[in-house]
Amino acid sequence: MNEQTLIALWGKSVPHRPGLYHPLLFHMLDVAHTAWSLWERLPGSIRIRISKGLGDLSEEQARFAVSLLAGLHDLGKASPPFQHKVIPLWQGVESAGFSLPSDLHDKPHGMVSSKEIERLYAERVIDWQADPVAANILAVIAGGHHGVFPRAEDLIHIAGLTLGDRAWQIVRDELARSVQEALEPQENLRLSLNTRSLEDKGIAPLLAGLIAVADWLGSSKHFSIQGTQPLADYIPLSRGKAGRALDCEGWRSAPAPPAKMSFEAVFEYLDRTQAVRANAVQSATSDCLKQADSPFLLIIEAPMGGGKTEAALYAADHAMASGLAHGFYIALPTQATSNAMHSRVISYLEHRLPGIQNMPLVHANALLDEAYRQLVIDAPIYEQNAESDSSGEEGRVIAQRWFAEHKKQALLAPFGVGTIDQALLSVLQTRHWFVRLFGLAGKAVIFDEVHAYDIYMSAILSRLLQWLAELGCPVILLSATLPRTKRRDLVDAYRWGAWKEIEDQESKPGQKVPYPRLTYVDANRVEARSAAQLQSPASEQPRATLLEHTGPQPESILVALRQGMPEGGCAAVICNTVDRAQEVYLHLRDALRPEGWECLLFHARSPFRWRHERETDVLERFGKGGSRAGKRPSRCVLVATQVIEQSLDLDFDWMASDIAPVDLLLQRMGRLQRHPHIPHPVSPRFVILCEGTADGPPPTFDNAGIYDRYILLRSWLAVRNLTSLRLPDNIEPLVAQIYDEPEPAGLDAEWINNLARAARDYETNLKRDRKQAENVLVAPPDYPEEMLQSLALDLHDDDEPDIHPSLIAATRIGQPSIQLVCLGSSEEGCPLPSMPSGPPSAKETAGLRQYSLSLQSRRLFYSLCGQPVPTGWEGSPYLRYHRVLDFINGTAQVGVGGYRLRISHELGLVIEKLAP
């Protein structure tokens, strides 16, 4: 077949320029060459894993094989239905001698690619030999480059009306041979390629992820469409473009491992404001890791404010220095905690590793953070072998644009800090789940606050731990209040059967391991050790916190606050819902401001710009450095939701909290007089807001919010008679009393009946949530053939609001949420954006997103979701699922006679039910 016939087939077209196209063969070469260049920049452990997984190939053989398979990914475009999609281009294809079947049966071109790649192996069209099962697996992996793997039943129905006549088969064969010869014209590597079986349980996401990334980069602006040219001229041009594309987009070789250092030396890079000495938990962590010689699971259980974050970062650092990891991802519960941690880790990376280090902030609103956006804007274009990479100078942290601006690509960067949701998506059946898993492979992954995840999220986390273990990831889990049953599930998820070894260890006399505690698991060692017996500084010694109970009414909170803070200080009131926080705030504000108090409100139901301003203000006032900087107020009360419950390093003199599960009450208590260097005007006092009494009937929990009634009943029984808590001594017994032990004896009939009804509902909900998780999870690590065929086809990503909940692979369940952009003006007259006259520019899009918020409200969701997406927004990856609220003097109405919404800088979004 002559060259002109080959390049008559189009692979990429140009809208509004019907005669211009990029030949299919050229695009296949672009992607093959990109995979070839990408291979040498992969971490060594990933290259070795793929090479062995493909049949114990050498790394050079594997490089050729992977690049060839990547090049063949779009072979299905050489088919009548695809070539006929653009009529002006079809005319050129027809002129080259190709015809249409009598009836076109269009199928996704990825499926057609899989069908034909399998045939290439069977008919020995390419030199890479593979048995039929292995050939099918490789074909399906290549055909899944658009995010969904073709299933066996899909491939069976692809026949002549899709594939075309003999001329189409011949051109597909010639395309495959052309890619093969362009990659390795000497035949030295390919003649010995033989993949007899594919049994590596990690090969599918690794290979699929690599091919998808090569396709994205090989389809980028660096491969501009300029029409046809001689093939001999284009091959070296494509090869050069591939290397430059990787350089320009920041795809660099994995950073060299840092030298091993002591905890004190590493921690100096995290906090240069004070001398450092490892505490008991940190010393135990350092000790435990001395023998680590393979990827491991490390669970650190220690009190709030006990230095778990520093211990975890040291563990990740040690894993990199030991060659057990080539980067890290830190997964946190909220966007606010991710923002704070990202800023902190920048200092560590800049001083720990030389050269430029790429570390995106990974969550949906990352690019709205001004400080982070500066890192992205400043990201330079640099060459792979830049001198700064190996210099002895201190480093620089950036967020390379290619990784930062696309949510599916962020985890591919060597370092990252973000929400846990972004990691959990790697095991949910969303498009390109395998790219996220490919990005995490071989990295140290830290999960904070693992006790806080409900049964649905815990099921996803367990599946993710299975995959991280399979892909050689050290994993560090942090919690102050982890129930024993959840610790068991996490341990067995990482290495099945390891928990039995811990139980055997602890069953021996005197071997029970007390809290605070480390649990270590790797391929050869299982160990639980306590940090309780290690000497700690005086600031870490147990302390008593006074415990009080009062009603949830705002008037009761005001009385308790005045009694507990007679001379002023910094107080926090944590409410379980935004509506309640707004109500409590207004009452306290009106009563306390005349007495010289400042009152602040902090929750997530506010436009991003305002929420970020408040978050920054809260951290500056009540954070660790607020006292030293002179910003800590003398008389201030912060009313907040759960946004301050976890991971944020805040310190209050006095605290009140709505009733919540006991582990979360303890977490909230962890923000109470957290730092000994801050002068506190009163003894630590924590007030639980609940209408129950010490010896009364079961409470109704009107202020409980989202929490399960059974867990709240058990929690109230545990705390209703307590007048003080000794932390950390009481943490583990209290948590165990709720989650691991039977219900208390001696209760009256009303309590027994209430508990029984609530327990039945609780078990029903657990089963429902487990089932819902199983329906959207990727299969556990298994032989590739079994794993690939177990995947569903039609699930959608979790940011698409108008898809039925049963079809959404979401990281969290609860009330449906929708993204809203606030236009017009607030109650105070603060200007909000105006609707652009046409499709929004990049600048207008950024401005609109600054005034967006996520609303979780079943009562409003369907009315808002029924509104059309504004014209011109459908094509924007940032706005295509957003709806608009147009506020006039701070007011908007939703639904006919339904709800009035008010927006104010002070209160955020207020929802009011209109009278009938």
Side-chain angles (χ1 to χ4, degrees):
M1 183 172 286
N2 65 56
E3 182 177 307
Q4 291 305 311
T5 302
L6 277 180
I7 63 176
L9 300 178
W10 64 275
K12 299 285 183 181
S13 62
V14 182
H16 313 302
R17 297 187 66 183
L20 187 63
Y21 70 96
H22 197 48
L24 175 58
L25 176 56
F26 289 8
H27 173 61
M28 293 169 69
L29 289 171
D30 294 340
V31 176
H33 287 138
T34 301
W36 183 274
S37 296
L38 190 59
W39 177 265
E40 66 183 351
R41 306 183 192 211
L42 296 178
S45 61
I46 303 300
R47 296 198 305 268
I48 292 170
R49 178 73 180 266
I50 294 175
S51 302
K52 290 185 176 296
L54 289 175
D56 285 325
L57 304 180
S58 69
E59 285 196 37
E60 280 301 304
Q61 286 178 314
R63 182 187 199 178
F64 167 75
V66 167
S67 302
L68 174 59
L69 194 61
L72 297 177
H73 77 293
D74 264 355
L75 189 64
K77 288 183 175 180
S79 60
F82 184 88
Q83 292 296 314
H84 194 255
K85 287 180 184 293
V86 181
I87 298 301
L89 296 181
W90 164 250
Q91 294 169 355
V93 176
E94 189 175 34
S95 299
F98 296 96
S99 61
L100 294 174
S102 57
D103 185 18
L104 286 176
H105 281 195
D106 194 10
K107 297 287 185 181
H109 70 265
M111 290 185 186
V112 183
S113 293
S114 293
K115 181 80 171 181
E116 283 297 277
I117 292 171
E118 189 171 7
R119 181 185 63 78
L120 296 180
Y121 284 110
E123 297 180 5
R124 302 287 181 90
V125 175
I126 56 177
D127 293 331
W128 182 0
Q129 298 180 41
D131 72 16
V133 173
N136 172 262
I137 294 168
L138 293 168
V140 168
I141 287 173
H145 61 277
H146 283 296
V148 179
F149 293 116
R151 297 180 297 185
E153 55 264 39
D154 301 318
L155 301 182
I156 289 172
H157 298 295
I158 295 177
L161 294 179
T162 301
L163 298 174
D165 59 19
R166 177 67 178 162
W168 288 97
Q169 180 177 317
I170 291 171
V171 78
R172 287 190 290 268
D173 291 352
E174 288 302 314
L175 287 169
R177 292 190 185 101
S178 297
V179 173
Q180 178 176 264
E181 289 167 8
L183 285 172
E184 218 284 301
Q186 302 304 317
E187 302 184 359
N188 296 331
L189 295 176
R190 64 180 196 252
L191 289 180
S192 58
L193 280 184
N194 194 336
T195 302
R196 294 185 179 87
S197 64
L198 282 173
E199 297 184 354
D200 186 322
K201 296 178 181 180
I203 194 67
L206 292 178
L207 200 51
L210 195 159
I211 290 172
V213 170
D215 184 33
W216 293 343
L217 288 162
S219 305
S220 66
K221 61 186 178 183
H222 306 286
F223 297 86
S224 57
I225 297 176
Q226 298 175 342
T228 63
Q229 62 188 101
L231 180 59
D233 293 343
Y234 190 74
I235 289 173
L237 184 63
S238 171
R239 191 178 296 125
K241 285 182 176 180
R244 285 192 294 275
L246 293 175
D247 288 339
C248 292
E249 301 297 7
W251 263 96
R252 316 169 74 202
S253 297
K260 286 186 179 180
M261 288 185 175
S262 67
F263 175 87
E264 287 78 6
V266 169
F267 188 78
E268 181 184 352
Y269 297 119
L270 300 172
D271 188 348
R272 296 195 160 198
T273 63
Q274 57 182 339
V276 175
R277 183 165 74 89
N279 66 20
V281 170
Q282 295 156 354
S283 295
T285 300
S286 176
D287 221 32
C288 185
L289 293 172
K290 288 178 179 176
Q291 300 177 52
D293 57 3
S294 64
F296 56 82
L297 171 71
L298 179 65
I299 302 177
I300 302 175
E301 298 172 81
M304 302 71 67
K308 295 186 295 297
T309 300
E310 292 78 12
L313 285 166
Y314 175 75
D317 187 279
H318 184 87
M320 291 190 296
S322 303
L324 304 178
H326 58 261
F328 59 69
Y329 181 70
I330 304 174
L332 295 134
T334 66
Q335 294 182 11
T337 55
S338 302
N339 295 342
M341 181 61 71
H342 187 267
S343 298
R344 189 176 184 202
V345 177
I346 285 175
S347 176
Y348 156 77
L349 272 184
E350 286 180 339
H351 297 101
R352 185 72 168 104
L353 294 176
I356 296 172
Q357 304 304 331
N358 183 12
M359 186 176 70
L361 175 61
V362 191
H363 62 69
N365 290 316
L367 288 169
L368 301 182
D369 184 291
E370 179 61 31
Y372 174 64
R373 204 159 61 245
Q374 292 301 317
L375 291 180
V376 179
I377 291 171
D378 290 342
I381 294 175
Y382 46 73
E383 296 297 328
Q384 163 71 1
N385 296 314
E387 291 182 6
S388 62
D389 288 357
S390 56
S391 73
E393 299 176 1
E394 289 188 344
R396 179 185 174 201
V397 172
I398 63 165
Q400 192 70 31
R401 190 177 301 278
W402 188 87
F403 299 86
E405 292 190 345
H406 303 278
K407 62 181 183 179
K408 292 180 180 179
Q409 297 164 194
L411 294 182
L412 296 164
F415 304 101
V417 177
T419 56
I420 184 175
D421 305 71
Q422 300 301 318
L424 295 180
L425 283 167
S426 62
V427 291
L428 291 179
Q429 292 190 49
T430 56
R431 287 184 178 272
H432 293 110
W433 59 269
F434 47 82
V435 172
R436 289 184 169 97
L437 208 51
F438 172 61
L440 290 174
K443 291 177 182 164
V445 186
I446 299 171
F447 296 95
D448 200 5
E449 313 288 6
V450 293
H451 60 275
Y453 308 135
D454 60 21
I455 193 67
Y456 177 84
M457 287 185 71
S458 294
I460 303 173
L461 178 59
S462 291
R463 181 60 48 84
L464 179 54
L465 289 179
Q466 291 176 305
W467 273 105
L468 294 178
E470 178 63 38
L471 295 175
C473 297
V475 176
I476 303 101
L477 306 176
L478 309 180
S479 177
T481 55
L482 189 65
R484 181 178 175 85
T485 50
K486 187 168 283 192
R487 177 172 159 237
R488 174 201 65 201
D489 293 344
L490 296 170
V491 165
D492 274 344
Y494 193 82
R495 199 192 107 186
W496 179 253
W499 182 254
K500 180 66 166 58
E501 295 183 42
I502 292 174
E503 285 190 315
D504 291 344
Q505 173 187 333
E506 294 188 342
S507 66
K508 298 173 184 177
Q511 292 301 306
K512 186 168 179 60
V513 182
Y515 180 94
R517 174 176 48 238
L518 274 64
T519 304
Y520 177 92
V521 176
D522 66 19
N524 304 305
R525 178 163 66 106
V526 176
E527 178 187 358
R529 66 166 67 192
S530 175
Q533 71 273 21
L534 299 180
Q535 184 64 37
S536 297
S539 61
E540 296 177 37
Q541 297 304 310
R543 61 166 193 173
T545 296
L546 298 175
L547 204 61
E548 294 181 359
H549 313 87
T550 193
Q553 301 81 7
E555 298 83 1
S556 300
I557 301 172
L558 180 61
V559 171
L561 176 60
R562 283 173 168 157
Q563 290 176 348
M565 301 280 285
E567 303 300 326
C570 294
V573 180
I574 302 182
C575 300
N576 290 336
T577 67
V578 175
D579 290 348
R580 174 163 160 78
Q582 290 169 334
E583 175 194 6
V584 170
Y585 166 78
L586 288 172
H587 186 87
L588 297 183
R589 180 200 66 181
D590 293 345
L592 292 174
R593 276 189 179 171
E595 300 174 12
W597 285 78
E598 291 183 84
C599 294
L600 303 174
L601 177 64
F602 183 27
H603 59 75
R605 203 169 74 195
S606 185
F608 179 85
R609 178 186 290 274
W610 298 350
R611 185 169 77 247
H612 186 64
E613 290 170 355
R614 180 54 48 84
E615 175 188 318
T616 301
D617 185 41
V618 166
L619 286 168
E620 288 179 349
R621 288 169 177 258
F622 307 110
K624 188 176 183 178
S627 176
R628 295 191 181 104
K631 295 184 178 181
R632 189 174 178 87
S634 59
R635 298 170 73 88
C636 185
V637 57
L638 174 70
V639 180
T641 57
Q642 296 94 328
V643 291
I644 68 168
E645 179 178 281
Q646 297 167 350
S647 296
L648 287 179
D649 194 0
L650 303 174
D651 183 295
F652 299 96
D653 304 316
W654 180 95
M655 182 175 285
S657 167
D658 277 343
I659 183 67
V662 76
D663 50 321
L664 300 185
L665 290 176
L666 290 167
Q667 284 291 330
R668 296 173 185 185
M669 203 178 297
R671 318 302 134 190
L672 181 61
Q673 301 196 11
R674 184 181 180 96
H675 295 301
H677 75 272
I678 296 176
H680 299 104
V682 293
S683 299
R685 188 181 303 267
F686 189 84
V687 181
I688 299 175
L689 307 175
C690 179
E691 77 276 19
T693 59
D695 55 358
T700 57
F701 300 126
D702 293 334
N703 61 331
I706 61 173
Y707 301 116
D708 186 90
R709 178 168 174 77
Y710 179 68
I711 298 300
L712 290 177
L713 288 171
R714 295 292 306 271
S715 297
W716 180 243
L717 286 171
V719 302
R720 63 178 181 170
N721 290 306
L722 296 179
T723 57
S724 68
L725 284 177
R726 187 173 173 81
L727 302 179
D729 297 357
N730 294 140
I731 291 177
E732 186 167 40
L734 271 175
V735 173
Q737 188 175 336
I738 309 308
Y739 294 100
D740 299 326
E741 296 174 3
E743 296 169 6
L747 298 174
D748 62 32
E750 186 176 7
W751 265 100
I752 292 171
N753 291 334
N754 264 266
L755 284 167
R757 285 194 301 270
R760 286 193 297 270
D761 292 342
Y762 179 60
E763 287 300 322
T764 298
N765 294 338
L766 290 183
K767 290 176 183 177
R768 178 202 63 204
D769 293 350
R770 286 195 191 99
K771 179 66 175 176
Q772 189 167 341
E774 284 297 327
N775 288 340
V776 297
L777 281 170
V778 168
D782 200 350
Y783 295 112
E785 181 184 20
E786 301 296 329
M787 196 272 293
L788 289 173
Q789 293 305 320
S790 69
L791 299 172
L793 184 66
D794 297 321
L795 290 172
H796 298 257
D797 287 350
D798 65 339
D799 56 357
E800 197 168 347
D802 48 0
I803 297 299
H804 191 276
S806 65
L807 297 176
I808 296 175
T811 56
R812 304 172 192 239
I813 55 175
Q815 294 197 56
S817 65
I818 189 167
Q819 300 294 317
L820 303 173
V821 174
C822 301
L823 306 180
S825 62
S826 73
E827 288 184 333
E828 301 94 342
C830 299
L832 299 168
S834 300
M835 178 69 77
S837 57
S841 65
K843 184 177 181 180
E844 288 171 328
T845 296
L848 291 168
R849 293 184 70 214
Q850 287 285 350
Y851 290 92
S852 66
L853 59 86
S854 178
L855 178 63
Q856 276 192 303
S857 173
R858 196 177 305 279
R859 51 189 169 162
L860 293 172
F861 176 80
Y862 295 104
S863 292
L864 291 167
C865 200
Q867 297 180 8
V869 174
T871 302
W873 291 21
E874 303 93 333
S876 168
Y878 300 113
L879 296 174
R880 60 186 173 184
Y881 298 132
H882 286 62
R883 272 46 171 197
V884 164
L885 284 176
D886 199 355
F887 291 93
I888 300 174
N889 296 323
T891 301
Q893 188 167 319
V894 176
V896 179
Y899 292 88
R900 179 171 58 226
L901 306 184
R902 296 190 294 112
I903 190 78
S904 83
H905 192 279
E906 180 182 19
L907 299 177
L909 184 67
V910 180
I911 303 173
E912 297 175 340
K913 181 76 172 77
L914 295 176

